Amino acid sequence: MAKRAMTNEAKALKAQSILDKAVELFTSYDYEQIKMSDIAKEMNMSKGILFVYFKTKESLFFHLLTREYEKRLQHLMNMIIETRINNEDDFKQLVMKELIELVDHNPLYIRLESIRTSVLEKNIDAEVMLELKSGLYNKMIIMTNLLCDSGIVTEAAVMDIFQAEASIITGCKLSATLPNEVIEIIERNGMHGFKRDFKADVMDTMSYYLDGYFQGRR
C-alpha cells in the first residue's frame, strides 16, 4: 500500500516539533555547537528530511525566533489592553515591565535575539527572511496601533524604541558573555568588577534611552 502524503497540517505540526527539539538542544548547547545532524538524530529522521522543512540551520533558528517574537507580541498586546497609558511615564513603565519579564522569564528569546543580526540574518535565505519578517511586521503594526491609541507615542516612535531595545539586548548580552577561561581568571583573582550583570546593564541602558528619547522630543 502506498504511503499517504502528509497533509499541510501534519507538516506544520512536524515543523513545530522540530523547533521544539531545537529548543531542547539550545538550552544545553551554544548555537555554534549544534549541528543539523544533531537535530535530525534527536528527531529520528534523516538530514535529508530535516532539510525539507528547514533548508539551513540559520533558517531553522530564525523560524524559532519568529515563533518566540509572535508570542512576545501577543503578550505585549494583552499588557497594553490591560494598562492605562496617560503619559510618557506610563509608557516607560509598560516598556520596562515587559522587558524585565523577557530578561527574567524568557532566556530563549534573549539568546536568539542576541544572535539575530550577527548570525541568523547574515546567513539566512533572503526570501525566507522577508516572508517571516512580513508576518511579524503585520503583528507589530497591530501592537503599535494599540500603543498609539493613547496619543502618547507615534508609530515612528514605537518603531524607534523597539529597534533600540533589540540593539540594547544584543549589545548588553555580548558584553556580559565571557569565555569560560576568562571567567576562571576573573574568579581566581577576585576580579569580580570585570564581570557584567546583563539584567542590570540592559534595564539601566533602556531606562536611560527612554528618558533621553522623550526629552529629545520635547
Side-chain angles (χ1 to χ4, degrees), residues 69-83 94 98 136 138-147:
Y69 205 94
E70 288 175 346
K71 293 178 187 175
R72 179 194 177 188
L73 286 176
Q74 185 58 58
H75 177 61
L76 184 52
M77 284 188 280
N78 292 339
M79 290 178 67
I80 295 167
I81 292 170
E82 296 168 0
T83 304
L94 173 69
E98 195 266 340
L136 283 179
N138 292 333
K139 292 181 174 63
M140 186 77 178
I141 289 297
I142 297 172
M143 184 274 293
T144 300
N145 288 338
L146 284 174
L147 281 173

Side-chain angles (χ1 to χ4, degrees), residues 8 12 51 72 82 92 95-96 99 107-108 113 118 135 139:
N8 289 336
F51 284 128
R72 179 194 177 188
E82 296 168 0
K92 178 181 177 181
V95 172
M96 297 301 290
L99 179 57
L108 172 62
E113 179 61 50
S118 62
K139 292 181 174 63

Side-chain angles (χ1 to χ4, degrees), residues 8-218:
N8 289 336
E9 182 181 0
K11 290 177 181 177
L13 288 173
K14 178 62 74 173
Q16 292 303 313
S17 67
I18 293 170
L19 294 178
D20 291 338
K21 186 59 65 176
V23 171
E24 290 181 23
L25 290 171
F26 197 45
T27 300
S28 302
Y29 301 97
D30 291 335
Y31 174 83
E32 296 78 10
Q33 296 174 301
I34 301 171
K35 299 177 181 178
M36 290 292 273
S37 57
D38 298 327
I39 299 171
K41 183 178 180 181
E42 290 291 327
M43 290 296 300
N44 292 316
M45 63 171 55
S46 68
K47 268 206 316 183
I49 296 296
L50 178 59
F51 284 128
V52 170
Y53 289 91
F54 302 101
K55 293 181 180 179
T56 64
K57 186 172 79 165
E58 290 80 15
S59 174
L60 191 158
F61 276 83
F62 199 87
H63 275 82
L64 186 54
L65 173 58
T66 300
R67 188 174 76 170
E68 290 303 307
Y69 205 94
E70 288 175 346
K71 293 178 187 175
R72 179 194 177 188
L73 286 176
Q74 185 58 58
H75 177 61
L76 184 52
M77 284 188 280
N78 292 339
M79 290 178 67
I80 295 167
I81 292 170
E82 296 168 0
T83 304
R84 291 182 63 86
I85 303 175
N86 297 313
N87 50 52
E88 292 172 356
D89 285 339
D90 290 342
F91 176 81
K92 178 181 177 181
Q93 288 178 17
L94 173 69
V95 172
M96 297 301 290
K97 180 181 178 182
E98 195 266 340
L99 179 57
I100 200 168
E101 287 184 7
L102 275 183
V103 173
D104 284 344
H105 303 299
N106 198 340
L108 172 62
Y109 175 86
I110 296 295
R111 290 183 66 196
L112 289 167
E113 179 61 50
S114 69
I115 63 172
R116 175 173 59 84
T117 55
S118 62
V119 177
L120 303 182
E121 291 184 350
K122 259 189 173 181
N123 300 289
I124 191 174
D125 179 79
E127 187 175 338
V128 172
M129 183 171 66
L130 180 60
E131 179 184 351
L132 293 174
K133 282 198 167 187
S134 295
L136 283 179
Y137 180 76
N138 292 333
K139 292 181 174 63
M140 186 77 178
I141 289 297
I142 297 172
M143 184 274 293
T144 300
N145 288 338
L146 284 174
L147 281 173
C148 292
D149 284 345
S150 66
I152 304 301
V153 289
T154 64
E155 180 180 328
V158 173
M159 293 297 182
D160 285 346
I161 288 167
F162 278 89
Q163 285 179 6
E165 183 186 68
S167 297
I168 288 169
I169 288 172
T170 300
C172 291
K173 185 66 175 175
L174 290 175
S175 66
T177 305
L178 297 172
N180 290 331
E181 56 269 26
V182 175
I183 293 175
E184 290 176 3
I185 293 171
I186 289 173
E187 293 179 346
R188 187 166 61 245
N189 293 278
M191 303 161 61
H192 301 294
F194 285 91
K195 279 187 177 180
R196 301 302 309 173
D197 184 327
F198 169 70
K199 180 178 178 179
D201 285 350
V202 76
M203 298 306 295
D204 287 346
T205 306
M206 192 65 199
S207 179
Y208 294 145
Y209 171 82
L210 288 171
D211 290 342
Y213 187 89
F214 286 122
Q215 287 174 9
R217 294 175 65 220
R218 294 181 188 132

